[in-house]
Amino acid sequence: DKKTSLTKFTINDVVRSGLLVPSSDIGVYAGDEECYYLFRDVFDPITKECHGINEIPVHISNLDPRSLTSVIKNKAPIRSTRCRVVRNLAGYGFPAGISRENRLEVEGILETALEDLEGDLNGQYHPYDTLTGSEKQNMIMSGYLFRVLDTYMSAGAGIGRDWPEGRGIFYNNAKTFLAWVNEEDHLRIISMQKGANVEQVFDRLCRGINAINKALLKQAQTEFAFHKQYGYLSSCPTNLGTGMRASVHMHIPNTLTESQFKNRCCKLGLDVRGRHGEKCDSDGGVYDVSNLQRLGSTEVEQVQTLVDGINSI
Ligand code: ADP
Ligand code: MG
């Protein structure tokens, strides 16, 4: 009978997507921050398993790009690099639990904070329903924009309620710094560019996170939802901790078959996805390779895992 106080989320709400769509990888979503405490017995074992940890330690963050100790070697067959973090605003329900009114409030707060950014981060917010069909299609195919929600998120978890109202995308002129509003989480902060320059991509991400944080504090006295052990709180437990996925789009080296490549990646703590993201196939032999762990290490360590893994492959 337990219910969270903010969004009245029950254990039934938490597991609904997994029950309705048994092919789900994880199958649980948090409707708000309190879900992680109230339904700890369900979340903790899943969280430990997907991050490969036995205990949940105190979370330590390191957003200093100067701490990286090496970079991706020139020879690596890499087309592009992307780093994103997931964030939610403290005090609001997460997308699975939030009300329509509060979702619009979150959109407003984030739009103002994002449009406050300066220098190379400066850009504009575009509500989803102001984009034309072909603009959306082009941005999806170029890897900039989220796709229409899959059944995992929409049917089961309720993340797609009132779609697409309250959703949108922010980007700078060069489309190297972007943010998604009210997709699976309130905010996804994204830094990406062609080539393999991970330091540049990570540096831009770190500056973006700090600047948005500052803008939120100044404007709305709001902070990102954070817990000293779970780290940055996310809708899906796979994103707890840093909330970061650092990825490269790469060709499989000539010396490896696809299954050898996937095996190598798995042993190196790396996740392999298709070129168009989670649950998509490869396209033209290009794969998305990223850090698998987000809780139990710092952002710098996770980027370093990607760099070292790619270099060793
Ligand atoms: P996430 O949920 O981590 O944001 P998805 O797997 O849903 O990521 O992918 C989101 C989009 O980002 C997809 O369109 C994908 O093609 C794009 N993307 C991911 N990594 C890269 C990369 N290294 N270079 C270019 N685009 C990328
Ligand atoms: Mg996704």
Side-chain angles (χ1 to χ4, degrees):
D1 298 347
K2 285 194 259 180
K3 268 191 175 103
T4 62
S5 42
L6 196 59
T7 67
K8 314 283 174 241
F9 233 61
T10 65
I11 190 63
N12 282 321
D13 298 321
V14 167
V15 301
R16 185 172 303 112
S17 69
L19 293 179
L20 288 178
V21 194
S23 59
S24 302
D25 285 337
I26 305 294
V28 294
Y29 282 102
D32 57 40
E33 165 165 356
E34 197 190 346
C35 286
Y36 285 109
Y37 319 134
L38 202 57
F39 308 118
R40 177 168 273 158
D41 294 348
V42 171
F43 276 105
D44 275 5
I46 297 174
T47 300
K48 286 181 199 167
E49 186 176 331
C50 59
H51 296 279
I53 50 180
N54 295 321
E55 292 306 323
I56 299 179
V58 170
H59 181 70
I60 299 168
S61 181
N62 181 357
L63 287 169
D64 182 358
R66 290 167 306 183
S67 316
L68 290 173
T69 52
S70 57
V71 299
I72 296 178
K73 289 178 191 156
N74 268 336
K75 276 192 305 195
I78 287 176
R79 309 228 306 205
S80 55
T81 305
R82 174 183 186 257
C83 272
R84 62 86 162 148
V85 293
V86 165
R87 293 289 188 269
N88 288 285
L89 299 186
Y92 289 89
F94 297 165
I98 197 167
S99 67
R100 180 177 174 199
E101 194 186 7
N102 285 346
R103 187 189 302 111
L104 293 173
E105 206 176 306
V106 166
E107 183 191 29
I109 293 172
L110 291 175
E111 173 174 3
T112 310
L114 289 165
E115 293 200 335
D116 206 38
L117 299 176
E118 292 173 345
D120 63 332
L121 306 177
N122 180 261
Q124 246 171 8
Y125 178 70
H126 308 266
Y128 188 85
D129 48 18
T130 62
L131 302 170
T132 66
S134 64
E135 275 173 336
K136 278 184 257 193
Q137 199 47 33
N138 286 337
M139 282 209 278
I140 290 170
M141 290 315 284
S142 318
Y144 296 127
L145 181 63
F146 47 85
R147 286 165 292 159
V148 173
L149 293 189
D150 55 33
T151 47
Y152 306 92
M153 288 196 250
S154 53
I159 291 178
R161 285 167 301 124
D162 314 309
W163 185 269
E165 188 188 65
R167 280 75 174 189
I169 181 171
F170 166 92
Y171 53 86
N172 66 357
N173 249 340
K175 291 207 182 77
T176 52
F177 186 72
L178 306 93
W180 295 353
V181 172
N182 287 326
E183 192 233 15
E184 189 182 314
D185 292 277
H186 293 158
L187 184 64
R188 290 203 169 193
I189 307 171
I190 302 162
S191 168
M192 61 198 280
Q193 68 190 46
K194 297 239 176 307
N197 196 329
V198 185
E199 324 91 275
Q200 232 170 56
V201 171
F202 184 54
D203 173 77
R204 189 187 304 112
L205 178 79
C206 297
R207 287 188 291 110
I209 295 172
N210 290 332
I212 295 172
N213 217 346
K214 229 163 117 186
L216 284 174
L217 278 174
K218 179 176 95 183
Q219 164 222 337
Q221 300 294 312
T222 315
E223 281 185 280
F224 296 134
F226 181 83
H227 177 267
K228 68 179 192 316
Q229 284 183 293
Y230 299 121
Y232 291 97
L233 297 166
S234 49
S235 294
C236 176
T238 54
N239 281 320
L240 289 173
T242 60
M244 191 184 74
R245 199 168 80 82
S247 69
V248 291
H249 273 182
M250 69 180 291
H251 282 279
I252 299 185
N254 301 333
T255 48
L256 297 177
T257 65
E258 180 179 321
S259 69
Q260 286 172 329
F261 174 68
K262 287 186 172 168
N263 269 330
R264 281 290 290 280
C265 287
C266 182
K267 289 194 182 122
L268 292 161
L270 301 175
D271 186 24
V272 181
R273 300 180 174 189
R275 152 138 155 61
H276 294 291
E278 214 173 346
K279 303 189 179 71
C280 292
D281 292 331
S282 159
D283 175 0
V286 175
Y287 288 83
D288 171 325
V289 179
S290 61
N291 59 301
L292 196 53
Q293 185 184 61
R294 295 183 239 293
L295 180 66
S297 44
T298 67
E299 291 84 353
V300 166
E301 286 167 335
Q302 291 167 14
V303 173
Q304 199 64 58
T305 298
L306 178 72
V307 169
D308 295 343
I310 298 295
N311 286 342
S312 102
I313 291 171

